[in-house]
Amino acid sequence: MTSATYPFTAVVGMADMRLGLLLNAVSPAIGGVLVRGEKGTAKSTMVRGIASLLPTIETVPGCRFSCDPAAPDPGCPDGPHEPGTGATRPSRLVELPVGASEDRLVGALDIERALADGVKSFEPGLLADAHRGILYVDEVNLLHDHLIDLLLDAAAMGSSYVEREGVSVRHAARFLLVGTMNPEEGELRPQLLDRFGLTVEVAASREPDERVEVVRRRLAYEEDPAGFAARWAEDEAELRARIAAARALLPSVVLGDGALRQIAAVCAAFEVDGMRADIVTARTATALAAWAGRTEVTTEDVRQAALLALPHRRRRNPFDAPGLDEDKLDEILDAYQPEAEGQAPDDGDGEGDGGDDDTDPDGPDGPGGGRSPDDGPPRDGDGQGSGPEQPAEQPPVPEQRADDPARPEAPEADPHQAPATGEGGEGQGVDARGAAPERPAVAAGEPFAARMLNVPGLGEGAAGRRSRARTAHGRTTGSRRPHGALGKLHLSATVRAAAPHQRARGRTGAGLLLRRDDLREAVREGREGNLVLFVVDASGSMAARQRMSAVKGAVLSLLLDAYQRRDKVGLVTFRGRGAELALPPTSSVDAAAARLEKLPTGGRTPLAAGLLSAREVLRVERLRDPSRRPLLVVVTDGRATGGSQPVAQATRAARLLAADGVASVVVDCESGMVRLGLAAQLAGELRGPAVTLEELRADSVTALVRGARAARDGVPARARQGERTTTEHGPQHRGARPGRRTDITERVA
């Protein structure tokens, strides 16, 4: 076969990805595959290559929804169709661009025909085109939320429902969902992650010989695409025939009770959510047996299926690395080894009855193509599989908490005095050059559900889930004349604008006579994602181990909230002699969490340097993405030391940020009985609210509001169970924040 598409069999290595795609080609019921990996690893090339290997399909002639002539959809908008013979065509690969519109995905009313001819006609979208084929989403983690919601609905029901602009349409939409992503650019929502049957990790080879072969083949392809494809035509034909044979064998594969118990035991032991994992693992194990030419599922099939189907379903939050403990997996499989159930017991070497024991050097990989697709995921160190999880090392925790109210916090040591000792002065000693020694990083505390922080006003940024904004998608709040190119047409407003002029324009037929001035576009309000820039105090005044652990836990909780609300995040830290941009603004909260976990503490508190560094980061980001509004989250106890007039410098820096119109929130980390209220003063200069670590929890918002209402109704403060009284922290604590508590509840709720 001669084709301009890069041949699937010509791709070097990538055994896990190759296997995942081939298994979905054998059994589309698996539900697709998500490919995670660094850029430049042939992810898109392999996806486009597998489409040419899928068997052809028969469709009803003239049907825009690809109905099967043997069993046409009774509800097809182009129907009804009578069963019979159809036209044969290749399976489609439909690509969904990240910036696609909702209309392009699900379809919409044919506006041109509606206005010109007065006919209500539905124009199908990409979901209709992908029916019985492949729907491919490159950079799926960057897909807008409203498109993800539509994909979830279609993937769950196998059909697409369109209810809009007077159109009510349902059509079948069963497709193989394939997505590729770079985890550094952000993670997927758990709901969409679960819709992918399998997940594989890919990475570029570190072997020089293999990299040389990759470059050699790519250059040969670019020089003569048709000739290069012709040289691989025989391998492509063999692989296509093997896929067809495996598909034919699939209904005959027996999934015995022993294998089924192994699958259930593995899914239960790894605590995956729901039952979809069990079903997908069973389908994958069956497809593996068919791919190997066997009619019985073996233990090795179950093992490989678990490594492909379970890692992405074990994640409890976006900071959990996907993967399985393979030693634990082997223990579970050994404990539930099938016996006397007509299924050959597995001896651990992956061989079964009629198995593919010998690897053909000229098989699907082609000469020099690396591992065979049925070799299974590698166990160690080649970057293609999921290795055992490594338990996080937990540092020792002191017996007495640093934030115990019974112990007053020691003041920060003078840099000219001897190094301080004890928790209050931890990390504040200086060496001969006046520099403070660095304290080792402490582990973050347990994350919690954080309260809602948002930017006041109405923005126009990227779609997200944080602050109010005018967006292309959301609830319609009105209409307006378009400024420049027409966006989303507001049909009823356009008709109302044109209706009074039809007689004057000489209308005689059914069509509506329109002028440019009649057009109206919809004004919609939704939620936007913001740039959440964290400025974290890592100085000696924050160095008490238990205290810094709580601070990291709070920031980790805010990062989790930013992930769920589709924000970009950045991290600035300050300690010692200055500030550091620990993480430039990115969509990957995983990267921010990793930098936070390794953050050392100690030294002076250059608060002004941290604020000025944050201001510079925001200035640069404003030039790159002017529509994305920032939210500055300063995590500090408010102290400022080091240099001349550190407090005055910090005040000036805060006023500059306020003058720039940056929305800010100060997370007050001060603890102990004696509180100076410096963080609240900083919040006043930033013109933003101050919130304590305790108040940052989402469950504390209800208590605050309930307490305010009870106080208004005359209920004694101490009669409110589970709530803090207004005098719990003493007059110094409350006096430092005159009038701030109500403001926090109003602006942050």
Side-chain angles (χ1 to χ4, degrees):
M1 181 189 73
T2 302
S3 172
T5 302
Y6 194 93
F8 184 83
T9 53
V11 177
V12 179
M14 302 298 165
D16 284 354
M17 181 177 177
R18 185 189 307 272
L19 180 62
L21 291 172
L22 288 173
L23 291 177
N24 275 276
V26 172
S27 176
I30 289 174
V33 60
L34 174 66
V35 184
R36 298 163 46 93
E38 58 195 31
K39 53 187 176 292
T41 50
K43 299 188 297 290
S44 301
T45 299
M46 292 192 73
V47 173
R48 296 186 178 99
I50 194 66
S52 63
L53 299 176
L54 296 180
T56 58
I57 63 172
E58 287 193 355
T59 61
V60 174
C63 177
R64 298 173 297 167
F65 301 90
S66 302
C67 281
D68 186 349
D73 181 6
C76 177
D78 285 353
H81 305 301
E82 293 295 331
T85 59
T88 301
R89 66 164 176 81
S91 296
R92 286 176 181 161
L93 172 67
V94 178
E95 298 191 37
L96 172 60
V98 170
S101 67
E102 186 175 337
D103 289 347
R104 186 69 190 99
L105 179 62
V106 300
L109 177 69
D110 190 333
I111 300 296
E112 184 177 350
R113 291 195 63 190
L115 296 180
D117 304 328
V119 176
K120 184 188 295 185
S121 175
F122 178 70
E123 184 178 1
L126 295 177
L127 291 179
D129 293 341
H131 179 48
R132 303 175 66 197
I134 298 176
L135 181 62
Y136 172 47
V137 189
D138 193 15
E139 305 294 348
V140 63
N141 51 325
L142 303 183
L143 200 63
H144 290 304
D145 273 0
H146 67 282
L147 298 182
I148 288 179
D149 293 337
L150 295 171
L151 273 182
L152 288 173
D153 291 340
M157 298 182 294
S159 57
S160 175
Y161 290 84
V162 182
E163 299 282 350
R164 55 193 307 164
E165 298 164 344
V167 175
S168 180
V169 173
R170 184 211 69 84
H171 65 83
R174 292 183 294 275
F175 46 80
L176 178 63
L177 182 61
V178 179
T180 58
M181 60 174 283
N182 184 350
E184 294 180 357
E185 298 175 346
E187 284 291 347
L188 276 176
R189 286 169 51 187
Q191 295 91 336
L192 183 58
L193 197 63
D194 189 50
R195 288 296 172 185
F196 287 98
L198 311 178
T199 184
V200 294
E201 301 278 340
V202 297
S205 172
R206 299 298 183 258
E207 293 294 331
D209 291 342
E210 193 166 306
R211 296 174 74 96
V212 166
E213 185 63 22
V214 170
V215 175
R216 181 182 292 118
R217 293 186 188 184
R218 187 67 197 185
L219 294 178
Y221 169 76
E222 292 176 353
E223 183 178 349
D224 182 10
F228 183 84
R231 291 196 294 273
W232 291 89
E234 184 177 348
D235 293 314
E236 294 278 289
E238 290 178 0
L239 187 55
R240 189 178 296 107
R242 185 176 176 185
I243 292 173
R247 277 195 170 194
L249 182 62
L250 186 64
S252 304
V253 176
V254 176
L255 180 64
D257 289 344
L260 197 54
R261 286 182 62 82
Q262 285 183 318
I263 292 171
V266 168
C267 293
F270 283 109
E271 300 179 353
V272 296
D273 295 330
M275 294 299 297
R276 183 174 287 114
D278 303 62
I279 297 171
V280 171
T281 305
R283 288 172 175 167
T284 306
T286 304
L288 279 163
W291 178 248
R294 287 183 271 101
T295 57
E296 292 182 342
V297 174
T298 67
T299 297
E300 184 61 22
D301 294 331
V302 175
R303 185 181 191 281
Q304 288 187 351
L307 290 173
L308 292 170
L310 300 187
H312 61 298
R313 292 185 166 88
R314 293 194 61 241
R315 307 188 74 182
R316 291 296 181 266
N317 63 63
F319 312 125
D320 295 337
L324 290 183
D325 184 338
E326 296 192 35
D327 292 335
K328 179 179 178 180
L329 175 61
D330 291 336
E331 291 176 4
I332 300 168
L333 294 176
D334 290 342
Y336 287 85
Q337 192 71 238
E339 296 178 2
E341 295 176 342
Q343 181 173 0
D346 182 70
D347 59 4
D349 60 1
E351 297 180 4
D353 295 340
D356 228 6
D357 299 332
D358 298 327
T359 302
D360 183 0
D362 295 325
D365 283 359
R371 298 159 55 103
S372 171
D374 51 337
D375 281 346
R379 301 265 323 250
D380 297 301
D382 62 356
Q384 303 279 347
S386 300
E389 293 182 337
Q390 299 296 328
E393 182 179 352
Q394 299 292 334
V397 179
E399 294 182 0
Q400 189 166 10
R401 293 178 52 185
D403 55 352
D404 189 343
R407 299 183 57 191
E409 181 172 298
E412 186 169 354
D414 189 294
H416 300 292
Q417 294 178 354
T421 59
E423 284 184 301
E426 187 173 9
Q428 297 184 64
V430 296
D431 57 21
R433 298 173 298 171
E438 185 177 282
R439 302 292 301 180
V442 299
E446 188 69 22
F448 51 82
R451 64 194 296 180
M452 178 68 167
L453 305 176
N454 54 31
V455 179
L458 192 64
E460 296 183 352
R465 296 190 167 214
R466 184 172 297 277
S467 305
R468 293 176 55 236
R470 294 188 184 93
T471 59
H473 309 279
R475 62 186 182 91
T476 301
T477 59
S479 62
R480 66 184 179 188
R481 282 190 170 92
H483 303 292
L486 177 67
K488 178 67 178 178
L489 179 70
H490 195 298
L491 183 59
S492 60
T494 299
V495 172
R496 287 196 301 268
H501 309 292
Q502 296 304 297
R503 181 176 296 180
R505 293 173 184 173
R507 172 185 169 184
T508 57
L512 194 66
L513 297 180
L514 292 177
R515 299 289 185 269
R516 174 71 184 177
D517 291 342
D518 299 331
L519 297 178
R520 299 291 185 271
E521 66 179 4
V523 176
R524 297 190 172 191
E525 182 176 315
R527 293 279 174 176
E528 67 177 359
N530 298 113
L531 166 59
V532 182
L533 182 62
F534 294 92
V535 181
V536 179
D537 184 349
S539 65
S541 65
M542 302 280 289
R545 300 184 71 84
Q546 193 74 5
R547 181 177 173 192
M548 195 61 195
S549 177
V551 169
K552 285 188 176 182
V555 178
L556 200 64
S557 304
L558 292 171
L559 284 172
L560 178 60
D561 183 69
Y563 159 77
Q564 294 169 339
R565 302 190 187 282
R566 315 303 288 174
D567 295 316
K568 291 180 69 174
V569 296
L571 178 63
V572 173
T573 64
F574 60 93
R575 65 179 191 81
R577 295 181 178 273
E580 175 190 4
L581 178 59
L583 181 71
T586 175
S587 297
S588 175
V589 295
D590 281 350
R595 302 290 174 88
L596 179 71
E597 191 70 24
K598 299 176 182 178
L599 179 65
T601 57
R604 297 168 180 168
T605 312
L607 177 57
L611 296 176
L612 291 176
S613 178
R615 183 172 184 246
E616 177 62 17
V617 171
L618 296 179
R619 183 190 70 80
V620 173
E621 286 300 310
R622 194 176 297 117
L623 297 175
R624 293 177 177 171
D625 189 358
S627 63
R628 189 181 290 270
R629 297 188 295 164
L631 174 62
L632 185 67
V633 180
V634 184
V635 184
T636 181
D637 57 8
R639 299 183 183 184
T641 61
S644 61
Q645 300 181 326
V647 176
Q649 291 179 8
T651 300
R652 284 195 293 268
R655 289 174 179 173
L656 288 174
L657 283 164
D660 292 340
V662 177
S664 304
V665 175
V666 176
V667 179
D668 185 358
C669 302
E670 196 172 27
S671 61
M673 289 184 60
V674 179
R675 304 196 181 191
L676 303 178
L678 299 177
Q681 295 177 21
L682 175 64
E685 299 295 346
L686 289 169
R687 300 178 191 171
V691 55
T692 65
L693 291 174
E694 295 82 5
E695 294 168 347
L696 195 60
R697 294 178 178 269
D699 53 11
S700 69
V701 177
T702 304
L704 286 171
V705 175
R706 192 179 296 133
R709 289 176 178 173
R712 178 193 62 193
D713 298 336
V715 179
R718 294 191 181 277
R720 298 191 294 272
Q721 183 178 2
E723 299 178 18
R724 300 182 184 274
T725 65
T726 55
T727 59
E728 178 180 348
H729 296 297
Q732 289 179 325
H733 182 64
R734 286 295 177 188
R737 295 176 174 84
R740 302 299 294 175
R741 292 303 181 207
T742 303
D743 184 56
I744 293 172
T745 304
E746 291 177 350
R747 293 193 60 184
V748 182

